[in-house]
Amino acid sequence: RVRPIFPGAGRDESFPVLCPNGESCTASVGGFDEHGGEYTDEVTSRGTAKTYTSEGTQDWTTVLLKHCNLNGFRTFISHLGFNHEIAIADNSMVPISGSVFIGTGARDDAGGYVSTTCPLANAQVCINQVLGSHSAPSSDTLSMLPAESSQGDREIGCVHTDDAGGYVFNVAIGARIYPTVVMPGHEFKAMDNRNSFLYRTSGVEMSFEAARSGALSRHDFVDITLTRIEVEVAGGGCRKFIGEPTMQYRLVGCAVSPIPLENGDELTDVRKGYNVPAHNIEIRVTEVADHDQATLEFMNSPISRDLSNVNAAEAETATIAAEAEEEFGLVDEEDDTDDSSNQSLFEFIYGGILFVRPEIEGGNDLAATTPSCEEGEERYRYRVGTLQSESFHVVQTNQDLEVTLYLRALVIPNHPRDDDSYCDTVDASTVVSVRSRIGLDP
């Protein structure tokens, strides 16, 4: 049978190459036996050469090149049958490279996508070979999902971006290819409109000339995927409005300036909604208008969450719910009031300054009618953290009594005499320690 020959191209490891007629084959120079290939030593006047046979392919034999340079090479073929056709494939390869960045989701004046300049590490970049007719989707770039790649094309292989977001893939010359970026729940766009056009039409032709001209570099992509978050800035358990906040976000691990959170959708007087990149982000409140205490507390307490998989998880949950409804006719009602498991909610709650109002039942409290203990808001005499109070109570010996402590927090310190500056609901995690001296001498 016909056994075409192709060179090993001087590589030191096994690698996939493109072969005529859409065949898949593998070439290697050293250590290919570790990857399942077989070779035999041949001693010639030029030294010892190895002849490799690619495992798992049909009718391909690899001939090691002892001397390969830019001026060309020689291939020595043994057992040549003149009644057989010999096909020799040029396995010279050139690299295509680029980077993947996280985008803001915004468009620039030229219609392109704005990048945060933050690299996206460990993203999967796949190279697809154009075979036959190539009809890509009509969007401004290919949909970066393998299931939507053009019919008739094939995936050559994939690599992952490095810590700087970069990728390099070696492809045999003569091929026409296009890269795609794959990450579940994310959408990627080519940053250069000219590259986008090539991906949709003829593909990128791999050649030495293209490599020398730089046409095979800067095939960059931007992740335009956004996710919805809600940010709440409030005071106390009653979620009181304490001032207009100024906020920003940054991508964790990226050394670029934080990006302001602006023009959010007002959900309540203390909660707003924003669209942010679906990645690991940190939200920080940099100022609460006319509220120094809350500003200082929030500025030093940013909240970070990894939102990379939020969209994919929500899509999966919606799919499961739809399947359950279709099969069983059941729909689980969601509790809109429970925010405890909402990863997209960022809460900045100012606890305020806690005050305590004691109420004594029994014990013949002799001070119950004094001005300092009259009914009303002025009875909140104890400020948490202090050891004294303006209220003073005297109870009779050997009498049973019950002490109840009522709490409220001053969440707007600039107006301590205004009842609206207080919140009567404190966080459920609040712990108050009471030290009693009842029954002890002064």
Side-chain angles (χ1 to χ4, degrees), residues 335-377:
D335 184 3
D336 295 334
T337 62
D338 183 14
D339 292 326
S340 59
S341 61
N342 186 357
Q343 290 297 307
S344 298
L345 175 61
F346 293 74
E347 292 181 293
F348 295 86
I349 307 302
Y350 174 66
I353 303 169
L354 196 61
F355 286 81
V356 180
R357 175 170 66 87
E359 185 177 278
I360 299 177
E361 296 289 341
N364 294 327
D365 183 3
L366 301 182
T369 58
T370 62
S372 64
C373 295
E374 291 178 355
E375 294 291 339
E377 298 299 334

Side-chain angles (χ1 to χ4, degrees), residues 108-321:
D108 57 25
D109 295 337
Y113 292 89
V114 179
S115 168
T116 62
T117 71
C118 293
L120 181 56
N122 204 39
Q124 182 173 281
V125 181
C126 296
I127 302 299
N128 304 278
Q129 183 188 5
V130 178
L131 298 175
S133 61
H134 178 60
S135 177
S138 59
S139 59
D140 58 348
T141 70
L142 286 171
S143 175
M144 299 307 165
L145 297 174
E148 298 183 16
S149 296
S150 300
Q151 293 184 355
D153 298 346
R154 68 161 180 163
E155 183 181 282
I156 299 174
C158 300
V159 294
H160 287 85
T161 56
D162 57 25
D163 291 341
Y167 70 91
V168 179
F169 199 100
N170 293 318
V171 183
I173 61 172
R176 290 186 295 120
I177 60 94
Y178 58 92
T180 60
V181 187
V182 182
M183 180 179 289
H186 289 249
E187 183 180 6
F188 297 83
K189 300 290 186 180
M191 294 185 64
D192 190 322
N193 289 332
R194 293 169 298 182
N195 289 339
S196 175
F197 177 77
L198 287 175
Y199 303 160
R200 300 196 313 268
T201 54
S202 62
V204 181
E205 185 172 356
M206 306 301 288
S207 67
F208 289 122
E209 178 59 32
R212 282 192 293 266
S213 67
L216 302 184
S217 62
R218 299 187 63 82
H219 285 263
D220 300 336
F221 292 87
V222 60
D223 184 356
I224 66 169
T225 311
L226 300 178
T227 191
R228 185 72 168 175
I229 66 168
E230 297 177 4
V231 183
E232 182 169 288
V233 180
C238 55
R239 300 300 195 262
K240 187 179 290 291
F241 178 78
I242 59 175
E244 193 65 34
T246 301
M247 296 175 289
Q248 63 184 25
Y249 78 88
R250 75 176 186 90
L251 293 158
V252 176
C254 181
V256 299
S257 299
I259 301 172
L261 271 179
E262 299 174 330
N263 304 320
D265 298 328
E266 187 169 324
L267 305 177
T268 69
D269 59 342
V270 296
R271 184 182 294 194
K272 290 185 178 181
Y274 301 89
N275 292 321
V276 298
H279 291 277
N280 193 355
I281 68 169
E282 175 190 273
I283 305 294
R284 186 186 299 268
V285 177
T286 58
E287 182 182 9
V288 179
D290 301 320
H291 202 313
D292 295 339
Q293 293 89 338
T295 297
L296 182 61
E297 179 176 322
F298 294 154
M299 193 184 331
N300 296 321
S301 304
I303 300 176
S304 299
R305 294 219 180 97
D306 190 350
L307 307 176
S308 301
N309 299 319
V310 169
N311 291 350
E314 290 178 352
E316 182 179 1
T317 300
T319 300
I320 294 174

